[in-house]
């Protein structure tokens, strides 16, 4: 059963497994195996040659020993002749040539002992036979003493000397057994046959010396011995002739010939031809001794010559073997060097392109390819940017490594092609997002417009509250649609022409949050934000507020505070008391806020964080999350707005510190200049955006301070303070009309975040502007606050008397007023508090429309001025 393949970080087995070997190790192993095999075979060959050389050297040493043995045998043969001759003649050997011969024999034996001592043979049996042969020569001392004393007869001495000589002749045959070649064996056999032939002719000469001393063989035994030796001599010479080559036979014929040899053979044949053992031989002992001695010396020279030839051949073979061993060693070392060089060349040819391929592949995967893909994805024309986007791997061979490099190039090209497809797909998805979002925005804006119209005409407070809920939900839907536009990389199309106070900006952001009632704005400075960043900053704050209210308990409050820094920046902090975030989560979130990642599925799951990062990056706004206090917990979001996004503050802007507990005012309700950017449905179902007119680079007019009239202060105080509704007969047909409000002098900040703090006392404002209508208005207020008891109706409302409460100077009297018939005032039904509240809400909406109309007119005038 096959096991699971390990992943990138999984285990691939032990380091000694073949598949985990490095390529350099594998190449070394591949080349090392045949190298070791060649080294082994070459070593065996060299060892064989060395062994052959050693064997030939040992053969040479054995030939040298054989030469010494031959010399000892030759001297013993001469000593035997002298010993048996003296024993047969019953004469003492003292003072005769015997003593000289004994010295020669002893000298030859000493040299033989030295040669055998130097001999080092691996065959223990051969060494033992050499040692026993040399040790057997010690018996000569006893034999010589007894022979000189006459104890041994001639035939006995012949037998003893022959026994010692035969032992040495047998040891001499070890050379034949040790011969390493057929040629050496042949030459050694030829030399051995000559040794045997010489021993046989020497035995014959010794027997004839005994017979010559007695002038007969004396017995048939002696005669038979002589004839056997002669036959053995003839047989040995025949064997030599069969083994020896022509040169060796010629050397034998040339060396063992002459008158002395012929005289010796003639005497021997004459003696052997006698019929009776007792027949007289009549041999000239002196002539026979001289002839036999010269003949044996010549035979010995032929023998030494053949042994010398054997030694020369063994030495030549030893030298050839040594030379062959040296040649094999040199060849082996040369082969190893060549193999090593070839191994290095092959390894270099394999490892260098592979190393280059690996380094360039890693550089491609980690550096060049991501940069190329990022550049392609960021390019407006990814198809054109993808051409020649990635350089090929610089391995251009035709073998497998070059083919692998081309495969990497194909992989890189495929990655680039996928990046192009991804870029095209992303553009298509972004276009789909933008299209869907703008379609949704068209519907949402139409829904908001419809809700505004319904709210303006609705008198039922409960129904109006439901409209407010729908209005808020639609605002949140619009924010989600804008998130899709931001995810697509497209900027929000809405932008303001003039700066917006921070209080209104925060209020607009709070209006887009689901749990807006839990948000408390505190400590907002009198700062103005440039129109180009208002919409994005509102969206950014709304996302952070929505996140804070979502991940905190419903019973807690989310606060937003702001402060102007010394460097001119604006710092805002949003604090909640939620569960908080771990250090790793904060680090990851801050990293994404500082460098928003590319859009993918994970981004879609945390869309708010991505949107905040994109918006902050667009305007160089810094957003950072940090943990709350140790006791309160939660999370704090710090927003740092750069100074270039802030406009100089106006004098009449005041700080606000109020919790919002009702539906906050949307940005469109206080900034009518956004109407130019509202998407308008097109005929084909798509959405067309009316961009704002391109303003000319003119300086924005400084906002002038607003001076409030006493009449405005009165209306404002009576609107935001509880009053007794029944004291104002608003439904009487003859009630005095409300005075016209100076719309141009209204402060647009006053209704951005209701309810407001009570306005400051208007004493100083009266000093700056006193109108003639002020005294009349004070008179009206006095009369309204203190009606006479008899003027109150049964239901508690004051009675209205026509023309009784006219304000002086408000209207000129008619010259001929028609006579009015006095009639009884109509009886009005009792009005409930809900009806009164509805009426007052209508008044508030009318006031808001008037303000929007005034701001719209101001914005249009400003746009025309800039245009």
């Amino acid at each position: 059963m096959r096991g699971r393949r390990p992943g990138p970080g999984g285990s691939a087995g032990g380091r000694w497994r073949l598949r985990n070997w490095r390529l350099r190790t594998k190449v070394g192993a591949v080349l090392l195996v045949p190298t070791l095999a060649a080294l082994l075979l070459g070593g065996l060959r060299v060892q064989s040659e060395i062994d052959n050389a050693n064997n030939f050297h040992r053969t040479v040493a054995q030939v040298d020993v054989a030469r010494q043995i031959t010399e000892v045998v030759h001297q013993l043969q001469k000593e035997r002749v002298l010993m048996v001759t003296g024993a047969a003649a019953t004469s003492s050997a003292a003072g005769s040539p015997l003593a000289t011969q004994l010295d020669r024999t002893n000298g030859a034996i000493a040299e033989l002992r030295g040669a055998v001592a130097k001999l080092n043979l691996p065959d223990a049996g051969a060494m033992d036979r050499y040692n026993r042969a040399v040790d057997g020569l010690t018996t000569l001392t006893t034999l010589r003493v007894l022979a000189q004393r006459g104890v041994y007869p001639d035939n006995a001495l012949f037998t003893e000397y022959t026994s010692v000589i035969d032992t040495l002749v047998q040891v001499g045959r070890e050379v034949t057994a040790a011969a390493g070649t057929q040629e050496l064996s042949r030459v050694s056999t030829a030399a051995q046959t000559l040794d045997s032939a010489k021993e046989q002719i020497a035995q014959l000469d010794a027997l004839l010396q005994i017979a010559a001393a007695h002038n007969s063989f004396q017995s048939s035994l002696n005669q038979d011995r002589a004839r056997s030796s002669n036959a053995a001599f003839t047989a040995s010479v025949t064997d030599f002739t069969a083994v020896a080559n022509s040169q060796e036979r010629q050397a034998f014929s040339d060396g063992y010939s002459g008158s002395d040899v012929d005289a010796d053979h003639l005497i021997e044949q004459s003696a052997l031809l006698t019929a009776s053992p007792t027949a007289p031989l009549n041999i000239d002992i002196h002539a026979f001794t001289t002839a036999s001695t010269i003949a044996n010396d010549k035979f010995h020279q032929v023998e030494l010559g053949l042994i010398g030839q054997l030694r020369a051949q063994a030495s030549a073979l030893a030298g050839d073997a040594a030379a062959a061993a040296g040649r094999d060693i040199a060849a082996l070392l040369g082969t190893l060097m060549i193999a090593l060089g070839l191994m290095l060349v092959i390894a270099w040819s394999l490892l260098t392109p592979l190393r280059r391929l690996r380094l360039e592949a890693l550089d491609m995967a980690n550096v060049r390819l991501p940069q190329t893909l990022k550049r392609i994805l960021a390019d407006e024309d990814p198809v054109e940017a993808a051409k020649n986007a990635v350089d090929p791997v610089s391995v251009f061979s035709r073998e497998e490594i070059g083919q692998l490099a081309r495969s990497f190039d194909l992989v890189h090209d495929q990655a680039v092609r996928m990046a192009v497809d991804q870029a095209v797909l992303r553009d298509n998805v972004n276009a789909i997002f933008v299209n869907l979002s703008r379609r949704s925005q068209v519907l949402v804006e139409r829904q908001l417009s419809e809700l505004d119209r319904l709210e303006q005409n609705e008198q039922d407070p409960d129904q109006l509250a439901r409209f407010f809920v729908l209005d808020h939900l639609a605002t949140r839907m619009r924010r989600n649609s804008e998130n899709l536009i931001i995810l697509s990389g497209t900027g929000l199309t809405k932008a303001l022409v003039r700066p917006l106070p921070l209080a209104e900006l925060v209020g607009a952001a709070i209006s887009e949050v689901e749990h807006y009632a839990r948000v408390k704005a505190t400590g907002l400075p009198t700062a103005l934000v440039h129109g180009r960043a208002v919409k994005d900053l509102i969206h950014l704050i709304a996302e952070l507020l929505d996140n804070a209210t979502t991940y905190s308990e419903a019973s807690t409050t989310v606060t937003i505070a702001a402060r102007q820094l010394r460097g001119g920046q604006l710092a805002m902090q949003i604090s909640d008391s939620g569960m908080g975030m771990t250090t790793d989560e904060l680090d990851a979130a801050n990293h994404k806020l500082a460098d928003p990642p590319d859009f993918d599925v994970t981004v879609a799951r945390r869309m708010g964080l991505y949107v905040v990062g994109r918006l902050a990056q667009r305007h160089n706004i810094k957003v950072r999350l940090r943990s709350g206090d140790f006791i309160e917990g939660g999370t704090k979001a710090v927003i740092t707005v750069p100074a270039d996004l802030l406009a100089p503050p106006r004098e009449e802007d005041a700080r606000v510190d109020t919790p919002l507990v009702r539906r906050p005012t949307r940005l469109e309700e206080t900034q009518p200049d956004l109407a130019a950017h509202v998407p308008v449905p097109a005929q084909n179902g798509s959405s067309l955006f009316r961009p704002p007119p391109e303003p000319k680079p003119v300086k924005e007019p400084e906002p002038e301070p607003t001076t409030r009239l006493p009449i405005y202060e009165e209306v404002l105080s009576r609107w935001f303070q509880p009053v007794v509704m029944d004291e104002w007969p608003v439904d009487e047909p003859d009630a005095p009309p409300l005075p016209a409000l100076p719309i141009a002098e209204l402060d647009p900040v006053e209704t951005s975040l209701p309810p407001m703090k009570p306005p400051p006392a208007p004493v100083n404002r009266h000093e700056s502007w006193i109108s003639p209508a002020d005294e009349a208005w004070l008179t009206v207020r006095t009369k309204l606050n203190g009606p006479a008891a008899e003027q109150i109706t049964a239901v508690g409302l004051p009675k209205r008397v026509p023309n009784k409460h006219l304000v002086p100077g408000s209207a000129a009297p008619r010259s001929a007023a028609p006579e009015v018939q006095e009639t009884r005032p109509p009886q009005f039904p009792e009005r409930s508090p809900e009806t009164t509240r509805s009426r007052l809400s209508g008044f508030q909406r009318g006031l808001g429309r008037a303000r929007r109309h005034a701001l719209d007119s101001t914005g249009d005038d400003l746009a025309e001025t800039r245009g």
Side-chain angles (χ1 to χ4, degrees), residues 71 110 126 147 151 156 181 192 232 282-283 335 443 451 453 456 460 488 513 519 533 557 615 624 657 717 737 805 852:
E71 184 65 26
V151 175
T181 64
Q192 186 64 34
N282 299 320
I283 298 174
T335 303
L443 299 178
L451 287 174
R453 186 168 63 254
Q456 293 173 5
D460 187 0
S488 66
V513 179
V519 180
T557 301
L615 294 176
R624 185 169 182 83
D657 188 3
S717 62
H805 298 292
R852 285 196 296 273

Side-chain angles (χ1 to χ4, degrees), residues 120 180 191 244 251 255 348-349 358 366 464 495 622 693 700 703 735 765 768 803:
N120 184 15
W348 181 84
S349 64
R358 174 179 174 272
N366 297 328
L464 186 62
K622 296 181 181 179
E700 296 182 0
R765 297 182 184 269
S768 61
N803 300 324

Side-chain angles (χ1 to χ4, degrees), residues 6 66 157 322 434 503 526-527 532 534 577 595 604 694 713 726 774-775:
L157 284 174
V434 172
T526 57
R532 66 178 184 272
V534 167
S577 302
D595 186 13
E694 293 293 335
E713 298 289 350
D726 292 339
D774 292 348
E775 182 178 356

Side-chain angles (χ1 to χ4, degrees), residues 103-401:
D103 293 337
R104 292 177 180 173
T105 303
N106 291 334
I109 291 174
E111 292 181 359
L112 176 61
R113 291 181 185 275
V116 172
K118 294 179 181 179
L119 193 63
N120 184 15
L121 299 178
D123 189 359
M127 286 299 302
D128 183 64
R129 286 189 291 272
Y130 277 111
N131 292 327
R132 284 191 289 106
V134 173
D135 293 339
L137 295 176
T138 58
T139 60
L140 289 175
T141 303
T142 304
L143 182 61
R144 290 170 180 174
V145 172
L146 294 177
Q148 290 177 356
R149 291 179 180 179
V151 175
Y152 274 102
D154 49 11
N155 290 326
L157 284 174
F158 175 80
T159 302
E160 292 295 333
Y161 270 98
T162 300
S163 175
V164 174
I165 293 173
D166 287 342
T167 302
L168 294 176
V169 171
Q170 292 298 327
V171 173
R173 294 177 179 176
E174 295 291 336
V175 178
T176 303
T181 64
Q182 186 177 359
E183 180 64 19
L184 287 180
S185 179
R186 185 192 64 78
V187 176
S188 177
T189 301
Q192 186 64 34
T193 56
L194 285 181
D195 290 342
S196 298
K198 184 175 180 296
E199 172 60 19
Q200 295 301 325
I201 196 66
Q203 290 180 12
L204 178 59
D205 291 340
L207 289 174
L208 290 179
Q209 287 288 348
I210 294 173
H214 295 287
N215 199 22
S216 67
F217 286 107
Q218 295 180 352
S219 64
S220 57
L221 178 60
N222 294 334
Q223 188 178 13
D224 293 337
R225 280 184 177 180
R227 291 176 177 174
S228 297
S229 296
N230 184 61
F233 170 76
T234 303
S236 295
V237 172
T238 303
D239 292 338
F240 170 76
T241 304
V243 174
N245 57 23
S246 59
Q247 295 178 355
E248 294 168 351
R249 289 194 297 269
Q250 186 64 37
F252 175 74
S253 297
D254 295 340
Y256 189 62
S257 62
S259 58
D260 295 330
V261 175
D262 294 339
D264 183 41
H265 286 176
L266 180 61
I267 294 172
E268 293 172 351
Q269 295 301 321
S270 299
L272 293 175
L273 291 177
T274 56
S276 173
T278 59
L281 299 178
N282 299 320
I283 298 174
D284 185 355
I285 297 176
H286 182 269
F288 176 67
T289 301
T290 302
S292 64
T293 301
I294 295 174
N296 286 337
D297 289 341
K298 289 185 177 181
F299 204 113
H300 181 58
Q301 292 301 320
V302 173
E303 185 181 27
L304 291 178
L306 188 58
I307 292 175
Q309 179 183 349
L310 177 62
R311 188 182 188 283
Q313 290 184 358
S315 298
L317 291 175
D320 293 342
R327 184 174 60 253
D328 291 344
I329 291 175
L332 180 60
L333 292 178
T335 303
L336 289 178
M337 294 299 294
I338 294 175
L340 181 60
L342 182 62
M343 180 182 69
L344 293 178
V345 171
I346 294 176
W348 181 84
S349 64
L350 291 176
L351 296 178
T352 300
L354 282 177
R355 186 179 298 109
R356 187 183 304 117
L357 177 61
R358 174 179 174 272
L359 293 178
E360 292 193 13
L362 291 176
D363 181 67
M364 181 69 68
N366 297 328
V367 180
R368 289 191 290 168
L369 188 59
Q371 293 177 353
T372 302
L373 298 182
K374 186 176 181 180
R375 177 171 54 83
I376 292 174
L377 294 176
D379 198 281
E380 296 181 357
D381 189 359
V383 177
E384 185 65 26
K387 295 181 179 179
N388 301 323
V390 181
D391 295 332
V393 179
S394 59
V395 178
F396 303 103
S397 57
R398 297 182 179 179
E399 34 82 59
E400 287 77 3
I401 299 178

Side-chain angles (χ1 to χ4, degrees), residues 46 51 339 541 656 753 770:
V46 170
D51 292 340
I541 297 174
V656 295
L753 289 175
I770 301 176

Side-chain angles (χ1 to χ4, degrees), residues 29-43:
V30 169
L31 297 178
L32 184 62
V33 171
T35 302
L36 291 178
L39 181 63
L40 178 60
L41 295 178

